[in-house]
Amino acid sequence: MSYTGSAPASSSLYWKGMESSGDPPILAGAQSAWDMLSDEQSQKHITTGSGDLNNILGGGIHCKEVTEIGGVPGVGKTQLGIQLAINVQIPVEYGGLGGKAVYIDTEGSFMVERVYQIAEGCISDILEHFPHSHEKSSSGQKQLQPEHFLADIFYFRICSYTEQTAAINYLEKFLGEHKDVRIVIIDSVTFHFRQDFDDMALRTRVLSGLSLKLMKIAKTYNLAVVLLNQVTTKFTEGSFQLTLALGDSWSHSCTNRLILYWNGNDRYAYLDKSPSLPVASAPYAVTGKGVRDAVSSNHKRVRVT
């Protein structure tokens, strides 16, 4: 079927090639699946600090995607968030993205002393793997300082859901002025929405709008959005079970979902949702230097029943 009409003057759709050629019209901005695959394969990932965790994530945290990380208190969600804010800054010559981070803190759990420790740990690992490279690089000495890492984290302290909504709406303008930001972390996305809302229908509408905004930001600015989430209990099949907060409607708001949990005294991460990767679990550790591989690192595949 060929298109023979013309778009209304008020239409927001613009057709490429309608006037200058006889070729079939294509919507402006259309992209082939091959281009999408090539673009995805060329993307670098943000390392988590743990090789096993990177493996189940397909190389690390993906840019242009929204990743949700949930788990019980104390399992290491904030530690992983801070680690990602540091690791996104690893210079390109050392295999990183050389980007900056936005950290939106709704709970007050961002401890700058801990950020400094994790930055030191990251620098220590770089120097261990590249013992002489930083001496040859003109900017190496300056880049590999904890102060430099801390200076490139843009921190927003949020005290209500209205502030959180305003901050997310402001992000597009901020990112337009700071084009080197490569990750936005919200810790946690759920806190104020669990505390301040009585109208569940309104909460669902507000959250839906925010999730669409964050997905658009990730794609438009080629960055990763990481949403840290709390857990709650849900009565299912005659018993209470732990589940991520905000309910089933929120579960569609992310591209990938990683659940952190305890197995005895060991920390594990479980990839619960991904459009291209199998479900899998891997152990990890939180050390003085940050998130690292567990001492006895042997990640395993798991089957969801």
Side-chain angles (χ1 to χ4, degrees), residues 14-210:
Y14 293 87
W15 298 86
K16 181 180 178 181
M18 282 190 67
E19 297 179 357
S20 58
S21 74
D23 295 331
I26 303 173
L27 278 174
Q31 187 179 22
S32 73
W34 176 253
D35 290 338
M36 292 170 66
L37 178 62
S38 301
D39 181 52
E40 185 175 317
Q41 290 177 339
S42 67
Q43 289 283 341
K44 286 186 176 180
H45 302 98
I46 305 167
T47 177
T48 63
S50 163
D52 286 343
L53 202 47
N54 288 341
N55 287 340
I56 68 170
L57 289 167
I61 300 296
H62 298 236
C63 289
K64 292 193 172 183
E65 294 182 0
V66 177
T67 300
E68 180 182 26
I69 301 174
V72 298
V75 78
K77 299 186 299 294
T78 296
Q79 300 294 312
L80 182 53
I82 293 172
Q83 186 73 64
L84 293 170
I86 293 295
N87 287 355
V88 75
Q89 301 180 52
I90 295 174
V92 175
E93 56 263 39
Y94 303 120
L97 272 67
K100 297 181 181 180
V102 168
Y103 203 104
I104 298 175
D105 180 11
T106 68
E107 299 186 29
S109 54
F110 185 89
M111 297 289 108
V112 70
E113 295 85 359
R114 181 59 176 153
V115 181
Y116 194 93
Q117 289 177 350
I118 292 175
E120 288 183 316
C122 178
I123 294 167
S124 172
D125 285 356
I126 291 173
L127 295 180
E128 182 179 336
H129 288 92
F130 304 93
H132 305 297
S133 297
H134 72 289
E135 298 171 1
K136 300 174 184 177
S137 170
S138 59
S139 60
Q141 292 288 347
K142 179 185 175 184
Q143 288 179 313
L144 297 183
Q145 298 293 330
E147 295 82 0
H148 181 82
F149 281 79
L150 268 65
D152 285 341
I153 299 176
F154 302 106
Y155 175 79
F156 296 84
R157 178 69 173 101
I158 302 300
C159 298
S160 69
Y161 81 87
T162 53
E163 284 187 13
Q164 184 172 335
T165 303
I168 292 173
N169 287 330
Y170 169 66
L171 271 178
E172 281 198 86
K173 182 177 187 298
F174 183 86
L175 294 171
E177 298 168 353
H178 301 82
K179 298 185 184 299
D180 43 5
V181 169
R182 284 291 168 265
I183 191 168
V184 173
I185 301 156
I186 304 180
D187 180 13
S188 71
V189 70
T190 52
F191 182 72
H192 294 301
F193 286 93
R194 295 181 70 189
Q195 306 290 329
D196 302 341
F197 263 96
D198 294 322
D199 187 338
M200 293 297 102
L202 175 60
R203 187 182 82 166
T204 300
R205 289 196 299 273
V206 172
L207 284 169
S208 175
L210 293 182

Side-chain angles (χ1 to χ4, degrees), residues 231-294:
V231 296
T232 186
T233 54
K234 181 179 181 181
F235 191 76
T236 306
E237 298 179 355
S239 64
F240 286 99
Q241 298 180 2
L242 286 177
T243 184
L244 295 187
L246 298 182
D248 295 335
S249 60
W250 178 253
S251 65
H252 303 291
S253 65
C254 61
T255 316
N256 312 287
R257 178 176 296 110
L258 191 68
I259 299 175
L260 310 182
Y261 66 96
W262 290 99
N263 184 5
N265 293 323
D266 299 323
R267 290 177 167 93
Y268 273 77
Y270 169 67
L271 184 62
D272 180 60
K273 175 185 176 184
S274 169
S276 57
L277 298 168
V279 293
S281 68
Y284 68 97
V286 177
T287 71
K289 295 171 68 174
V291 175
R292 296 294 186 272
D293 281 328

